[in-house]
Amino acid sequence: MKVAVTGAAGFVGANLVDQLVGDGHEVVAIDRVANQRSTSSAVTWVNADILDPNAMRTAFADVETVYHLVAVVTLRMQDPVAWRINTEGVATVARAALDCGVRRFVHLSSVHAFDQAQCGKVLSEATPRSIDPEIPVYDRSKWAGEQELRKVIDDGLDATICNPTGIWGPADYLPRLSRLNGLARSAAKGRVPAFISGVGFDLVDVRDVAAGMILAAEKGRTGENYLLGGEFANLIEWMRQCARSAGRRGPLLGLPLSALEAVMPIAEPIGAKFNSDIISKAALGPLLASPLVDHSKAANELGYTPRTLERSVRDFISFLVESGQM
């Protein structure tokens, strides 16, 4: 089958392309960067702008399934580029797919499209959505992007939506590891002496996200959302696991979340001056919520079965060593 992947050179995109090629598909890999990791003869690389309808229609010629992954991930409260890519970009790609008669469309949204502060103890597909103007632009734009897609679904596009949690794991390469992978690598190298304790997040292996998207293309119901979760992890313990797997000691000192909240009024402006959003109110939000994620809908309807966190830790550290990144 001929399929297309937007954002094919990114972290999730590269892993998805690898799985699709492994399954025997011919892949049109769409991106605007030169980081074209796959050199398989089954992959055709296309440099195209997802905001260009004509370019998308050209790329989708004779394609049966489109996986749309392009997004701008940011912790900022406002970011006009992220808003446009995450909303208008979805609409443009989906409309082009409909125009080309694409049989199936899978959109990679995010758990952040759900309001984690309003979910209670467990987050599911029934959780309220990210409409509060006081939450980060990424969260709001991912929900708005889903709404743009639904307009095209109403016009006849057969599309489904996947909402992964915190994505990490192999394969990923320097110099631009994902946020979580960068943190895990630092911990494995013994470079994180202290971290916030008592907070956690659902972490999912990138390989499971790719597999979940393929399952959604095969079995997902039109217009439905599927949370692709993994395992809830206490973050300081997760980093200690990564360190132990690499033969090192992880963070020894656990700091209360209140300590981070106390320095936030000073630390956030300093980070902004260095163009960093890591220490910010937006970054603190998910840690304060720390919800459990119910991915039973994906398990029951798609046959989605993520691997354990322990296995992902072991595989990630092995990957770093084998790829010369440790």
Side-chain angles (χ1 to χ4, degrees):
M1 181 190 300
K2 188 175 182 180
V3 304
V5 178
T6 71
F11 173 41
V12 181
N15 281 275
L16 176 60
V17 168
D18 285 349
Q19 288 198 30
L20 289 167
V21 170
D23 290 343
H25 297 294
E26 178 185 352
V27 181
V28 178
I30 303 165
D31 215 304
R32 297 195 69 187
V33 300
N35 182 27
Q36 299 174 0
R37 182 161 62 85
S38 177
T39 57
S40 169
S41 60
V43 179
T44 300
W45 286 94
V46 175
N47 187 323
D49 183 352
I50 63 160
L51 296 173
D52 183 340
N54 290 329
M56 289 298 99
R57 283 191 287 265
T58 299
F60 295 158
D62 302 320
V63 164
E64 291 192 46
T65 300
V66 169
Y67 296 90
H68 178 55
L69 279 65
V70 171
V72 174
V73 181
T74 176
L75 294 174
R76 293 182 174 86
M77 297 303 295
Q78 303 294 335
D79 187 323
V81 174
W83 182 266
R84 188 182 183 202
I85 294 297
N86 296 350
T87 59
E88 182 183 335
V90 177
T92 301
V93 174
R95 187 66 62 182
L98 179 63
D99 291 344
C100 291
V102 166
R103 182 183 63 82
R104 201 79 165 98
F105 188 97
V106 180
H107 172 50
L108 187 68
S109 183
S110 170
V111 68
H112 289 276
F114 297 91
D115 191 339
Q116 296 173 61
Q118 301 297 321
C119 72
K121 293 183 178 179
V122 179
L123 188 149
S124 73
E125 287 86 356
T127 293
R129 295 312 202 103
S130 296
I131 59 174
D132 187 342
E134 296 301 315
I135 60 178
V137 66
Y138 178 70
D139 303 51
R140 291 181 283 109
S141 67
K142 293 304 283 186
W143 166 229
E146 290 186 23
Q147 292 176 291
E148 292 297 322
L149 175 59
R150 292 187 186 282
K151 295 176 185 177
V152 189
I153 291 174
D154 290 342
D155 289 338
L157 182 65
D158 186 358
T160 191
I161 303 164
C162 293
N163 299 81
T165 55
I167 308 174
W168 82 296
D172 196 9
Y173 294 88
L174 291 168
R176 294 192 64 184
L177 295 180
S178 73
R179 291 178 190 272
L180 287 172
N181 281 348
L183 188 58
R185 178 176 178 268
S186 293
K189 291 176 75 68
R191 295 177 178 174
V192 185
F195 197 74
I196 302 300
S197 63
V199 296
F201 200 71
D202 190 283
L203 302 181
V204 61
D205 194 297
V206 65
R207 296 167 295 178
D208 293 326
V209 174
M213 294 188 73
I214 294 170
L215 287 170
E218 296 171 350
K219 303 177 182 180
R221 290 185 288 137
T222 304
E224 291 293 316
N225 288 81
Y226 295 95
L227 280 161
L228 301 181
E231 185 176 324
F232 184 85
N234 180 301
L235 293 184
I236 193 170
E237 292 302 325
W238 164 64
M239 286 188 287
R240 287 168 175 163
Q241 278 184 273
C242 291
R244 286 195 299 269
S245 186
R248 293 182 172 87
R249 302 179 71 182
L252 299 178
L253 180 61
L255 303 173
L257 188 59
S258 58
L260 184 58
E261 291 179 286
V263 302
M264 189 63 67
I266 299 173
E268 187 167 18
I270 294 174
K273 287 184 178 180
F274 289 92
N275 200 33
S276 171
D277 55 12
I278 294 176
I279 303 298
S280 63
K281 178 182 177 183
L284 194 60
L287 298 182
L288 288 170
S290 293
L292 298 175
V293 175
D294 178 6
H295 61 257
S296 61
K297 181 179 177 182
N300 295 334
E301 294 190 17
L302 307 180
Y304 172 71
T305 54
R307 67 204 75 200
T308 65
L309 183 66
E310 180 181 4
R311 180 180 169 189
S312 292
V313 168
R314 185 172 62 249
D315 288 354
F316 182 65
I317 301 306
S318 295
F319 165 76
L320 290 179
V321 173
E322 292 167 4
S323 60
Q325 299 184 81
M326 278 288 290

